[in-house]
């Protein structure tokens, strides 16, 4: 019989037979114990699928990884603390001093910042390419190009890339192709089926779906890419909380129905907003007027609840003030949660291979799960305020030009 203090530390073994819950259990662990010294000494032989230390996975995180691997049609998935962490960890294992990376000009701004600040600092050369021109990719490929980084549709401006053509060009030069697939999720687009080698997701957004957790994923197409990513993650000591993983798994279960609802309502709103006299253009890949629509129709399985609005120049300067009229749409970054969001976005300073000729500020909308009629009434409140601000500004402009 052990003493009380020892019994406080040790846990009894209880039967698990017959306990088969629908929910995934939350397995928290740093230390993983081994049955004997020999098993501990050979722990490295367990490989990426085995358990050796909490940093490298628990049954909870492995369940999420397995679900993503299946949906992405890949060989293995790694989890990261955020979508941008996933992007960085997808690129860094494959570049060295003197190498070259090619990044789509419409990439997520923090990804551009990583390239221009950290990759250049580490001796990696960086170029950006026109999202609508595979020929631009071909012109800018070098012998030392190691990865071509894509995001489709493009961040904020929604250009759709011809991924199969870009991937063919990259592979001809021996380069890998990575794709940030956050807008579409694996339900609407499967980059690994269209030539990509690596796909990342910001699980923070549609997959988790409740605006309360940060997480990203990296799925690789081939087994040969597993170890470079796993080793870097280990060296940098990067892992995710099983509690957070359980929240993402819970959100995952309703992803399909949430995404289809947001897709339907967002497309309806996009069509209606496009007809407003103060709107110059609505950027939504499912609209025939959007750049890359034929490719979206060819390659994608559906659309998203996120789109952008470009305003006439007379109205653009008043958009920020008009947002204060919103009562349901919250003003904030990110997307894909139950709450609808509005975010004014600046584009021009994040372009170098292309030129943005539209208004300086674009309004990005993310449609959530509120009642459709209530949301549309909120959009009408915004436009009513915008019209009033534009009307009040016009006499002043007339006087100043008189």
């Amino acid at each position: 019989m052990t003493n009380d203090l020892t019994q406080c530390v040790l846990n009894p073994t209880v039967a698990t037979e017959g306990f088969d819950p629908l929910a995934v259990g939350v397995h928290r662990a740093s230390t993983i114990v081994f049955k004997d010294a020999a098993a501990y000494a050979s722990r490295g032989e367990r490989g990426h699928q085995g358990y050796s230390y909490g940093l490298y996975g628990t049954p909870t995180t492995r369940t999420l990884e397995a679900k993503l691997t299946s949906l992405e049609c890949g060989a293995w998935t790694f989890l990261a603390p955020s979508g941008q962490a996933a992007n960085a960890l997808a690129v860094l294992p494959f570049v060295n001093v003197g190498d070259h990376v090619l990044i789509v000009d419409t990439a997520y701004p923090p990804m551009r910042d990583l390239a221009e600040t950290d990759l250049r600092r580490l001796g990696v050369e960086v170029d950006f390419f026109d999202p609508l021109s595979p020929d631009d990719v071909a012109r800018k490929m070098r012998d030392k190009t190691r990865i071509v980084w894509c995001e489709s549709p493009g961040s904020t401006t929604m250009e759709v890339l011809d991924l199969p053509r870009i991937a063919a060009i990259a592979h001809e030069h021996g380069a890998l192709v990575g794709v940030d697939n956050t807008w579409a999720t694996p339900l609407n687009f499967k980059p690994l089926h269209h030539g990509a080698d690596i796909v990342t997701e910001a699980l923070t957004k549609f997959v988790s779906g409740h605006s309360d957790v940060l997480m990203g994923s990296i799925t690789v197409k081939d087994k040969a890419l597993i170890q470079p990513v796993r080793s870097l993650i280990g060296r940098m000591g990067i892992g995710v909380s099983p509690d957070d993983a359980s929240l993402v798994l819970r959100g995952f279960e309703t992803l399909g129905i949430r995404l289809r609802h947001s897709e339907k309502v967002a497309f309806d709103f996009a069509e209606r907003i496009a007809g407003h006299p103060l709107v110059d253009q609505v950027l939504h890949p499912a609209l025939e007027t959007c750049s890359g629509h034929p490719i979206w129709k060819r390659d994608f399985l559906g659309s998203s609840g996120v789109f952008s609005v470009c305003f006439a120049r007379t109205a653009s300067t008043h958009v920020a003030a008009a947002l204060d009229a919103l009562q349901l749409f919250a003003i904030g970054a990110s997307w894909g949660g139950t709450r609808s969001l509005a975010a004014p976005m600046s584009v021009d300073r994040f372009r170098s291979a292309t030129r943005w000729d539209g208004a300086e500020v674009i309004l990005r909308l993310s449609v959530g799960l509120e009642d459709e009629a209530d949301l549309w009434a909120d959009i009408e409140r915004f436009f009513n305020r915008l019209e009033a601000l534009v009307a009040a500004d016009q006499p002043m402009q007339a006087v100043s030009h008189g």
Side-chain angles (χ1 to χ4, degrees):
M1 188 70 174
T2 56
N3 292 323
D4 288 353
L5 291 181
T6 300
Q7 290 189 60
C8 286
V9 174
L10 300 183
N11 290 316
T13 300
V14 298
T16 57
E17 183 180 353
F19 183 74
D20 192 17
L22 287 173
V24 178
V26 180
H27 296 267
R28 303 182 185 93
S30 56
T31 299
I32 306 294
V33 298
F34 299 81
K35 65 178 182 179
D36 52 39
Y40 179 74
S42 61
R43 65 192 182 280
E45 298 173 9
R46 294 185 173 189
H48 66 275
Q49 298 186 54
Y51 296 108
S52 59
Y53 190 67
L55 182 69
Y56 298 103
T58 72
T60 308
T61 57
R62 289 289 169 82
T63 301
L64 178 54
E65 290 168 350
K67 182 175 284 196
L68 286 159
T69 299
S70 178
L71 284 168
E72 303 280 16
C73 305
W76 192 260
T77 296
F78 299 93
L79 301 178
S82 68
Q84 176 55 19
N87 291 341
L89 292 167
V91 171
L92 288 172
F94 305 105
V95 293
N96 291 297
V97 175
D99 286 343
H100 175 247
V101 297
L102 194 52
I103 299 177
V104 66
D105 206 35
T106 51
Y108 181 48
M111 190 59 178
R112 172 183 283 270
D113 192 21
L114 173 83
E116 294 186 318
T117 303
D118 298 292
L119 292 185
R120 291 192 195 278
R121 177 174 53 83
L122 296 172
V124 177
E125 297 185 45
V126 177
D127 277 318
F128 296 89
F129 68 89
D130 184 341
L132 300 178
S133 176
D135 291 338
D136 194 36
V137 176
R139 283 191 297 269
K140 291 176 177 175
M141 292 294 297
R142 306 181 192 173
D143 292 338
K144 284 269 194 174
T145 304
R146 296 292 177 252
I147 191 163
V148 176
W149 187 259
C150 304
E151 182 176 340
S152 185
S155 187
T156 304
T157 46
M158 303 292 169
E159 296 88 346
V160 181
L161 280 65
D162 190 341
L163 184 59
R165 282 190 62 195
I166 291 172
I169 293 166
H171 292 157
E172 184 179 345
H173 289 78
L176 295 171
V177 176
V179 178
D180 182 336
N181 194 46
T182 301
W183 181 89
T185 83
L187 298 190
N188 283 334
F189 188 47
K190 300 187 184 295
L192 301 185
H193 275 177
H194 295 275
D197 302 288
I198 304 168
V199 58
T200 63
E201 308 279 355
L203 305 177
T204 304
K205 297 180 170 65
F206 274 119
V207 178
S208 69
H210 292 79
S211 306
D212 58 358
V213 63
L214 292 166
M215 195 172 295
S217 65
I218 309 157
T219 303
V220 296
K221 184 176 184 179
D222 297 318
K223 291 181 179 179
L225 303 178
I226 294 174
Q227 195 56 39
V229 179
R230 184 177 188 270
S231 296
L232 179 65
I233 287 174
R235 290 193 301 272
M236 298 188 74
I238 292 173
V240 303
S241 162
D243 295 86
D244 287 348
S246 72
L247 290 175
V248 177
L249 282 164
R250 175 180 285 191
F252 223 140
E253 294 184 14
T254 59
L255 172 62
I257 192 167
R258 287 187 289 103
L259 193 61
R260 292 297 164 245
H261 173 81
S262 294
E263 172 186 29
K264 174 184 175 296
V265 177
F267 184 72
D268 176 56
F269 285 5
E271 287 190 310
R272 294 163 75 176
I273 290 172
H276 195 282
L278 293 181
V279 170
D280 183 51
Q281 186 182 12
V282 173
L283 307 176
H284 189 309
L287 293 176
E288 293 183 1
T289 55
C290 195
S291 300
H293 171 75
I295 296 173
W296 171 84
K297 192 172 182 179
R298 181 193 72 189
D299 294 345
F300 283 65
L301 304 170
S303 65
S304 172
V306 180
F307 64 97
S308 299
V309 182
C310 301
F311 295 89
R313 294 193 182 276
T314 55
S316 182
T317 56
H318 300 293
V319 169
L323 288 176
D324 291 341
L326 293 171
Q327 297 176 12
L328 284 182
F329 278 86
I331 301 173
S334 196
W335 69 68
T338 59
R339 284 290 305 274
S340 295
L341 296 174
M345 310 291 290
S346 178
V347 174
D348 186 57
R349 62 192 179 96
F350 298 114
R351 298 289 185 269
S352 57
T354 58
R355 180 176 177 177
W356 175 250
D357 292 323
E360 182 180 348
V361 176
I362 295 176
L363 182 64
R364 189 182 68 197
L365 297 176
S366 171
V367 173
L369 301 184
E370 302 93 341
D371 180 80
E372 182 176 350
D374 289 342
L375 284 176
W376 183 251
D378 210 32
I379 289 174
E380 289 184 325
R381 276 189 286 271
F382 163 78
F383 275 112
N384 289 338
R385 177 70 63 83
L386 186 63
E387 289 170 355
L389 291 169
V390 170
D393 194 35
Q394 286 175 344
M396 295 178 61
Q397 290 180 351
V399 170
S400 65
H401 288 92

